[in-house]
């Protein structure tokens, strides 16, 4: 059995996978073309088009990340091959910590204190009670559900939203178009953990931003395509004065790395991080990869993604 592996830090991944699947021949983009082509299985993260185009015999693909948007948009993706994605695999807790930091950043006024520091201004703000700081989480997949639970465990009321109805303990769940408007109207921090698909593109547009309460904040560890950037900048306002939207912490962008010319870099109420919220922890991920390949090989039912839905 030949497995094509493609991801950063390839040596560590190759060793960990070889340990779990001792009989497998693991090849990478660095192997000669005749050796790396026509693998039985692909375990890949953002493979180059040319590398994917060589793979004409794949019986299963494991996407080495939670979002399958990049893979589905690759023109060389072989049709009809089942795709399994990583589910949580330790990413949810890391993203949960990122979101926790972001929620506290705004709830405890770190944004305002930073600006005050620049002016050497000593002024304390009354602390908003956590119970009066509802947090909205859009997307209740493996990651969104875990993040929602972490924020709720910290004492914040949490509203979750998904396209179809869901029920999660301790979370007020909303769904569908009406449910989205209902959620937006009552959250002070909005967290985006939806997959990047045609139907979620620019879900955070001018109308959605206008539906948020005055002074709300935004955290996006999900996908850049979820936000209409022009509408975001308009809602944030210019200069030092806070607009309707108080601030945004952004980890994902339509183009990555974020181009140097992007106005997001220097906006005073935007915090940019380089897609670091949820790196894939190797051990849990490789366990899932090995299990998926074992299941493919045994002809067992696998929980594959729906390419039409995009997740
Ligand atoms: C990272 O963005 C992932 O989808 O795993």
């Amino acid at each position: 059995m030949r497995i094509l592996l493609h991801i950063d830090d390839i040596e560590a991944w190759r060793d960990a996978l070889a340990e779990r699947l001792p009989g497998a021949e693991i090849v990478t983009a660095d192997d000669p073309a005749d050796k790396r082509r026509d693998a039985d299985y692909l375990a890949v993260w953002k493979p180059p088009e040319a590398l994917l185009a060589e793979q004409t015999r794949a019986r299963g693909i494991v996407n080495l990340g939670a979002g399958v948007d990049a893979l589905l948009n690759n023109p060389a993706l072989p049709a009809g091959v089942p795709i399994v994605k990583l589910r949580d695999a330790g990413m949810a807790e890391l993203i949960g910590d990122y979101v926790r930091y972001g929620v506290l950043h705004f709830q405890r006024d770190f944004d305002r204190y930073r600006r005050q520091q620049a002016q050497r201004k000593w002024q304390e703000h009354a602390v908003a009670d956590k119970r009066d700081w509802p947090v909205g989480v859009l997307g209740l997949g493996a990651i969104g559900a875990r993040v929602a639970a972490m924020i709720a465990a910290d004492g914040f009321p949490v509203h979750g939203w998904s396209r179809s109805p869901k029920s999660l303990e301790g979370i007020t769940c909303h769904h569908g178009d009406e449910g989205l408007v209902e959620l937006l109207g009552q959250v002070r921090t909005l967290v985006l953990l939806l997959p990047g698909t045609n139907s979620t593109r620019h879900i955070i547009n001018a109308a959605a931003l206008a539906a948020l309460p005055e002074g709300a904040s935004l955290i996006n560890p999900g996908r850049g395509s979820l936000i209409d950037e022009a509408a975001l900048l308009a809602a944030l306002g210019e200069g030092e004065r806070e607009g309707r939207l108080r601030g945004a912490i952004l980890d994902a962008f339509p183009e990555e790395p974020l181009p140097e010319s992007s106005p997001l870099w220097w906006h005073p109420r935007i915090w940019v991080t380089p897609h670091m919220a949820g790196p894939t922890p190797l051990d849990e991920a490789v366990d899932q990869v090995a299990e998926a390949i074992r299941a493919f090989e045994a002809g067992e039912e696998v929980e594959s993604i729906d390419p039409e839905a995009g997740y």
Side-chain angles (χ1 to χ4, degrees):
M1 163 175 66
R2 179 180 292 179
I3 303 169
L4 172 76
L5 182 65
H6 185 80
I7 189 163
D8 287 347
D9 198 10
I10 193 94
E11 294 301 325
W13 279 77
R14 191 212 293 258
D15 292 349
L17 193 58
E19 210 174 275
R20 286 160 179 86
L21 298 173
E25 178 198 5
I26 301 171
V27 296
T28 74
D30 292 335
D31 283 307
D34 60 327
K35 194 169 168 224
R36 67 174 187 236
R37 66 183 318 124
D38 294 337
D40 301 294
Y41 301 105
L42 317 181
V44 289
W45 178 245
K46 296 189 177 167
E49 201 180 320
L51 187 66
L52 211 48
E54 298 168 352
Q55 303 299 329
T56 57
R57 284 215 290 259
R59 300 200 295 272
I61 303 177
V62 188
N63 180 62
L64 299 180
V68 285
D69 44 334
L71 189 62
L72 292 178
N73 288 328
N74 192 317
L77 180 70
V81 181
I83 301 171
V84 171
K85 64 176 182 179
L86 296 183
R87 291 184 192 270
D88 182 347
M91 283 180 271
E93 174 141 1
L94 292 167
I95 295 174
D97 283 342
Y98 181 96
V99 171
R100 260 180 173 150
Y101 169 90
V103 170
L104 292 173
H105 178 85
F106 295 112
Q107 185 242 342
R108 295 304 307 271
D109 297 306
F110 278 93
D111 54 340
R112 292 178 177 154
Y113 290 126
R114 184 78 219 176
R115 285 200 295 281
Q116 286 180 207
Q117 186 175 341
Q119 301 157 8
R120 295 148 179 80
K121 186 169 160 191
W122 184 278
Q123 183 198 346
E124 187 178 343
H125 301 280
V127 176
D129 198 304
K130 285 180 184 179
R131 285 167 300 186
D132 299 327
W133 197 281
V135 174
V137 177
L138 304 193
L140 297 173
I143 295 175
R146 179 79 198 282
V147 171
M150 284 171 72
I151 301 301
D154 285 346
F156 295 92
V158 177
H159 295 259
W161 182 83
S162 48
R163 181 101 15 223
S164 47
K166 286 212 171 149
S167 152
L168 295 173
E169 205 186 321
I171 311 297
T172 309
C173 290
H174 308 257
H175 68 273
D177 293 341
E178 272 177 34
L180 181 60
V181 177
E182 211 171 81
L183 176 148
L184 292 173
Q186 50 189 317
V187 298
R188 294 186 75 171
T189 298
L190 181 66
V191 181
L192 308 182
L193 285 168
L194 288 161
T197 67
N198 288 340
S199 57
T200 61
R201 189 182 140 73
H202 289 189
I203 193 165
I204 300 306
N205 52 20
L209 290 164
L212 288 167
E214 179 84 35
S217 48
L218 184 68
I219 303 175
N220 185 17
R223 283 293 181 265
S225 62
L226 303 174
I227 300 178
D228 174 344
E229 193 177 297
L232 172 72
L233 288 168
L236 283 164
E238 282 172 17
E240 286 303 308
R241 222 175 52 82
E242 286 176 12
R244 276 190 54 77
L245 191 67
R246 172 171 166 171
I249 296 181
L250 307 175
D251 189 51
F253 305 89
E255 189 186 339
E256 295 180 3
L258 182 63
E260 264 178 47
S261 59
S262 170
L264 304 180
W265 279 117
W266 45 264
H267 193 286
R269 284 177 303 289
I270 290 179
W271 284 260
V272 168
T273 52
H275 205 133
M276 48 58 92
T280 313
L282 189 114
D283 275 330
E284 289 183 63
V286 179
D287 283 345
Q288 287 194 15
V289 176
E291 172 51 26
I293 291 176
R294 191 204 57 72
F296 278 135
E297 205 43 14
E300 286 170 15
E301 185 89 5
V302 291
E303 200 182 341
S304 55
I305 62 116
D306 173 357
E308 288 302 314
Y311 59 94

